[in-house]
Amino acid sequence: MTAPALQPYQYVALRCVPRPEREEFVNVGVVLFCHATDFLDVTWHVDGDRLRALWPSVDVDRVCEALSFADAVCRGEQAGGLAGGQPVSMRFGFLKAPRSTVLQPGPVHGGLTADPAAELERLRAALLG
């Protein structure tokens, strides 16, 4: 039996940075892009207690709204605005671009996988758990 072909992928952790001047953050999401399979998806989990430990007045609902927007961009939905209507690679480019908001992407990392969806779940457990 032949092993499934490994495909290169890239991913970024999405970080909630409630007080950028303190350079503290909590990973709240992961976006994975595999060009060879046209796979782009995000998984996320927000631990409100953990965020409030960094900044008691953080608006957890707004963080979740921003992550829902990232979801819409990944899926190419209208709720993703102009970015949601772009080709998959451009949508990933939008999501990985640095920004100075409460929700920021970390550095881009890469790897090889035969199953991008399973790899995204593995990254979820490793980075958001």
Side-chain angles (χ1 to χ4, degrees):
M1 178 180 235
T2 305
L6 295 177
Q7 301 295 335
Y9 69 88
Q10 299 177 57
Y11 76 91
V12 294
L14 298 178
R15 303 167 167 179
C16 181
V17 187
R19 295 174 61 192
E21 70 277 6
R22 292 184 57 135
E23 298 185 16
E24 297 171 331
F25 63 87
V26 174
N27 288 337
V28 293
V30 180
V31 177
L32 188 139
F33 170 58
C34 180
H35 181 77
T37 61
D38 248 7
F39 180 92
L40 177 63
D41 203 1
V42 62
T43 183
W44 53 277
H45 170 73
V46 176
D47 182 339
D49 292 334
R50 195 164 174 209
L51 289 180
R52 284 188 283 276
L54 290 179
W55 189 23
S57 61
V58 67
D59 188 340
V60 175
D61 290 337
R62 290 207 47 188
V63 173
C64 291
E65 287 172 14
L67 289 162
S68 292
F69 177 77
D71 236 335
V73 171
C74 283
R75 297 185 199 304
E77 297 173 350
Q78 189 173 4
L82 292 175
Q86 300 300 314
V88 174
S89 61
M90 290 183 73
R91 293 191 312 240
F92 180 64
F94 173 81
L95 292 167
K96 73 177 183 177
R99 52 186 54 85
S100 55
T101 63
V102 172
L103 186 63
Q104 299 179 9
V108 177
H109 301 281
L112 297 170
T113 186
D115 185 346
E119 185 64 15
L120 182 59
E121 284 308 307
R122 187 192 72 74
L123 290 168
R124 176 189 174 98
L127 300 175
L128 307 182

